[in-house]
């Protein structure tokens, strides 16, 4: 069973802590097999805002976890506690995958885990992170960054995106989507998507692209073009591009590719269709095209992805990615 340890101490942000606990604390309905073994680790007791928390174990437990998650750190102007920094550093040295949520990146940076790596944090604190830790390549324009054994997320809702990304890496797209459905959140936002867009996204019924999104997703097996999308939306391609960028932080073609890859992942996990059939069902045209885009986007070929996350009779997708692979990391989130 995968062990996930939440590293906590006085001054953590309760939103990110609660969010991670929701994702890794209980399996969604209908997902067979064991779920994560979650432990909250820290000195006792811990003050989280106005609340007191009694951890399950001390910080020394982090070194025995497969995944260590550091929630947001409230006082970014102060150095994080040395005992927390030392425990996170020791856990990574012992082989743990370490992820920070929001300003938890300041803890990872203090531990030296971000030196020479790309990383992000809440957009309001990226300049401070870069100033205090000049060896970190801070990217202020992404939702999360996956550097293999070290991952960082932007603020608040982006922490959910990173947690779902971890589930997707471990259990596959179908299980991650089941978690998202249980929590009533979008199933996947690319790590490379902008932290914030130029205009707020209205309620689905009122958004000018809401009908277009649903229409396109139902037709992913077809070779849709920007002209096709613009014609359906009754606007010029240039105007469509502006609406897409404002609503999704990306272009129409990149959005389409993301939907096709997401569908390919689910088909590889849940059907016996060959790569040629999956390519046809996702509008890729040929197995060669699917393999090229899939490998570039996900990090492994379709066949390797299927072997890793194959849903067999009565079991969940098993294992993590093959050695050396980084599954499900969007291209903009890769180093």
């Amino acid at each position: 069973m995968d062990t996930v340890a939440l590293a906590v101490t006085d001054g953590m942000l309760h939103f990110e802590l609660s969010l991670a606990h929701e994702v890794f604390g209980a399996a969604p309905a209908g997902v067979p097999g064991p779920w994560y073994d979650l432990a909250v680790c820290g000195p006792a007791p811990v003050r989280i805002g106005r609340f007191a928390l009694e951890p399950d174990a001390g910080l020394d437990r982090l070194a025995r976890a497969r995944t260590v998650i550091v929630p947001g750190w409230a006082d970014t102007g102060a150095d994080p506690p040395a005992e927390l920094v030392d425990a996170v550093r020791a856990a990574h040295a012992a082989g743990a995958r370490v992820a920070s949520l929001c300003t938890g990146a300041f803890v990872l940076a203090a531990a030296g885990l971000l030196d020479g790596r790309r990383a992000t944090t809440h957009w309001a604190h990226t300049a401070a992170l870069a100033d205090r830790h000049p060896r970190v390549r801070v990217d202020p324009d992404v939702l999360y960054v996956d550097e293999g054994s070290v991952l960082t997320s932007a603020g608040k809702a982006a922490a959910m995106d990173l947690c779902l990304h971890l589930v997707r890496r471990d259990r596959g797209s179908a299980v991650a989507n089941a978690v998202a459905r249980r929590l009533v959140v979008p199933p996947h936002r690319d790590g490379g998507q902008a932290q914030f867009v130029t205009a707020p996204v209205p309620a689905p019924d009122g958004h000018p692209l809401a009908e277009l999104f649903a229409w396109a997703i139902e037709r992913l097996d077809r070779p849709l073009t920007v002209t096709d999308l613009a014609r359906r939306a009754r606007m010029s391609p240039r105007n469509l591009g502006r609406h897409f960028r404002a609503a999704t932080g990306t272009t129409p073609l990149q959005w389409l590719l993301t939907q096709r890859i997401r569908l390919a992942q689910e088909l590889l996990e849940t059907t016996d269709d060959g790569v040629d059939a999956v390519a046809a069902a996702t509008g890729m045209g040929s197995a060669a095209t699917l393999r090229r885009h899939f490998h570039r986007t996900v990090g492994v070929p379709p066949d390797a992805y299927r072997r890793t996350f194959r849903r067999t009779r009565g079991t969940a997708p098993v294992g993590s990615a093959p050695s050396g692979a980084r599954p499900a990391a969007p291209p903009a989130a890769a180093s």
Side-chain angles (χ1 to χ4, degrees), residues 5-9 12 41 59-63 65 67-71 80-100 104-114 149-151:
L6 303 183
V8 301
T9 188
M12 290 294 182
C41 303
L59 288 171
D60 58 330
R61 171 78 176 276
L62 300 184
T67 301
V68 172
I69 297 179
V70 182
E83 60 178 340
L84 175 63
V85 172
D86 291 343
V88 169
R89 183 189 298 117
H92 185 259
R97 174 178 63 180
V98 179
S100 66
F106 283 82
V107 177
L108 272 60
L113 302 188
L114 302 183
S149 65
V150 178
L151 305 93

Side-chain angles (χ1 to χ4, degrees), residues 255-266:
W255 180 86
L256 269 176
L257 177 61
T258 298
Q259 309 315 309
R260 296 186 197 281
I261 295 297
R262 185 183 302 168
L263 177 58
Q265 287 177 297
E266 294 220 21

Side-chain angles (χ1 to χ4, degrees), residues 1-5 35-39 61 64-68:
M1 181 182 296
D2 290 344
T3 301
V4 173
W35 194 239
Y36 296 91
D37 179 16
L38 180 67
R61 171 78 176 276
R64 302 198 301 274
R66 177 174 180 259
T67 301
V68 172

